[in-house]
Amino acid sequence: MLILHILIALTSVGLTTHVFFNPSRRMLRGAYALVGATLATGTILVMSSPAHMVQACLTGIVYTTGVSYGLVMTQRKLATESVKK
């Protein structure tokens, strides 16, 4: 489960970076789905091993903040592009 969680998170960061530079609504939805999957698998991991909860939560907060920022900026780019059309 940990390896799946890490792969989903890294894919999420990569897709968020890609969609930031090449905005697309379809890809943006995919990035949101990957963020949700990362949070879901992270929650399962924390519940199965509560001893490492503080470290996991801090890492999760940093990940979620960074990816969320990228997704919000991408949404703004898409909104600006749709107004220009």
Side-chain angles (χ1 to χ4, degrees):
M1 180 65 102
L2 179 61
I3 292 174
L4 177 65
H5 174 70
I6 292 169
L7 287 174
I8 293 170
L10 291 175
T11 304
S12 170
V13 170
L15 183 59
T16 299
T17 303
H18 174 75
V19 80
F20 178 77
F21 290 108
N22 301 304
S24 153
R25 294 211 185 278
R26 186 176 65 89
M27 297 291 266
L28 186 62
R29 283 189 216 113
Y32 276 121
L34 287 173
V35 170
T38 302
L39 293 174
T41 57
T43 301
I44 292 168
L45 287 170
V46 167
M47 290 170 55
S48 68
S49 179
H52 299 287
M53 189 181 308
V54 172
Q55 179 184 3
C57 287
L58 290 176
T59 304
I61 289 169
V62 170
Y63 159 81
T64 305
T65 301
V67 171
S68 295
Y69 178 77
L71 293 174
V72 167
M73 298 315 303
T74 301
Q75 280 184 326
R76 287 184 179 180
K77 279 184 170 185
L78 284 171
T80 303
E81 286 178 5
S82 67
V83 169
K84 288 180 181 178
K85 290 181 181 181

